[in-house]
Amino acid sequence: MSGESGQPAAVRRRVELDMLRALVVLGLVFFHAALVFSPDDDFYVKNAQTTDAVTVVAGLGVVWAMPLLFLVAGLGARYSLRRRGPGGFARERLLRLGVPLVFATLVLCPLPQWLRLRAADPGYGESYWRFWPRFLTVHPDPGDFPFVLEGDHFETGHLWFVVLLLVFSLLLAPVAAPLASAGDRAGGAVGRRPALLLLPALPLALINALLGMEESFAGWNRWAYLLFFLFGHVLAGDDRIRAAMRRLALPVGVLGIVLFLGTAPGFMSQDDPFTARTTFALFTRALFGAAGWCWVVAILGLLDRPRGGGAREGGPREAGSREGGSPGSEPPSRVLPYLAVAALPLYVLHQPVVVAFAYGVVGWAAPIVVKYTAIVVCSLAVILVVYEYAVRRTRVTRFLFGMRPDQPTPPPS
């Protein structure tokens, strides 16, 4: 049971958060494979034939997927801070996020950039080992904070999520206590007036509209993700707010769909809807920001339902998959706990693998659906095999991919 403040009295497994995190991370394989066939996105490897269907389907994913990951990470930060304190939390984040960030930037990120050059120019013959030091030739660029290194070929690529999550965590540590107090007051207000749950849509709309959307960060402005992270830390762990999410899930979901559909004219008619300063472009981006909040609230509310059986207690996993409050249930198999523990390593691994298979597949004389299926199936197989046999089984590789050396990782049986 929860106390009068609405905070959980016991920590319980929130199965729906494990499911969502696993869904988003595995879904990125499908998403990035689709960008190979997108007429708009400047992906590393492009198929000669493209289809506008990718743009529509991608839009349905970007409006909620990465925002939800940041919100769930903010929720996890709340319980990690409670256990470790600000200093311990900051040290733990530097190890769990900083180490895989540095390792993967040095080892994995050069490959997609090298394949981009080879795909763009059939005459490009530079070996990977000659390209690698050129990739690492960088200079400071504080104006693009928190991406403070720049180079002709250097990039953090898909690791932008890890960069932002690390920076957001370090920014959160010194202000976590007053934010927690604000969250308790917000829980009381939302408990009395559930419609207040829609208020975060306003700053998200303003940030996307005024600062612009960034294609490199899945269509959202980078600082909008900070708000999702902070909202997760402040709001999502309160039972009164969770009750409001469950109560409003359906109407807020319908509102989110309406707002998202309202962005279509702007995205389809504007030359640069992500950054243009026209009234129509500003309005379109504002609708997108508000729609994203509605989608996240609706998804969390619809999935946060009582389930049969008791939930076992224990410490949270990466990104806050345990919480208190409503009844939960154990996953029906070991697949979900397996994927929950694997989320960060799978995220780190996925994009270089997808790009490598795409580079080999786009030259086939085959329909788009055949190529797409081949990229997705082969990428998923390799990512899971590499995780199972090359990452999770030794202390060194677990450390390099952000896993705790003593963290249990049940086999997916």
Side-chain angles (χ1 to χ4, degrees), residues 94 131 189 204 221 271 332 378:
L94 284 169
F131 169 77
L204 289 166
N221 186 278
D271 291 335
C378 294

Side-chain angles (χ1 to χ4, degrees), residues 6 141 144 235 261 264 370:
D141 182 24
D144 195 31
L235 302 178
L261 293 175
V370 173

Side-chain angles (χ1 to χ4, degrees), residues 307-386:
R307 298 172 176 85
R312 63 185 174 86
E313 298 182 5
R317 296 221 177 143
E318 181 69 29
S321 57
R322 293 182 189 268
E323 226 261 79
S326 65
S329 65
E330 284 304 296
S333 71
R334 293 183 178 181
V335 173
L336 190 56
Y338 178 85
L339 292 176
V341 175
L344 180 59
L346 293 179
Y347 181 89
V348 170
L349 287 169
H350 84 274
Q351 184 159 285
V353 175
V354 170
V355 174
F357 277 111
Y359 178 79
V361 165
V362 292
W364 294 0
I368 286 178
V369 66
V370 173
K371 295 180 181 180
Y372 176 74
T373 302
I375 295 171
V376 168
V377 171
C378 294
S379 297
L380 285 173
V382 168
I383 291 165
L384 291 170
V385 167
V386 170

Side-chain angles (χ1 to χ4, degrees), residues 1 8 18 55 79 108-109 118 121 133 144-145 153 156 163 188 199 231 237 250 283 338 344 368 380 390 395 404:
M1 295 179 63
D18 282 339
T55 303
Y79 297 96
L108 300 178
C109 287
R118 292 180 65 88
D121 180 8
D144 195 31
F145 182 83
H153 301 287
T156 54
V163 175
L199 284 181
F231 289 150
L250 187 58
F283 180 68
Y338 178 85
L344 180 59
I368 286 178
L380 285 173
R395 293 178 64 90
R404 293 195 299 270

Side-chain angles (χ1 to χ4, degrees), residues 148-169:
V148 295
L149 296 178
E150 181 66 48
D152 290 339
H153 301 287
F154 178 82
E155 64 164 14
T156 54
H158 66 298
L159 300 178
W160 63 263
F161 169 73
V162 183
V163 175
L164 291 181
L165 186 54
L166 175 59
V167 171
F168 295 167
S169 298

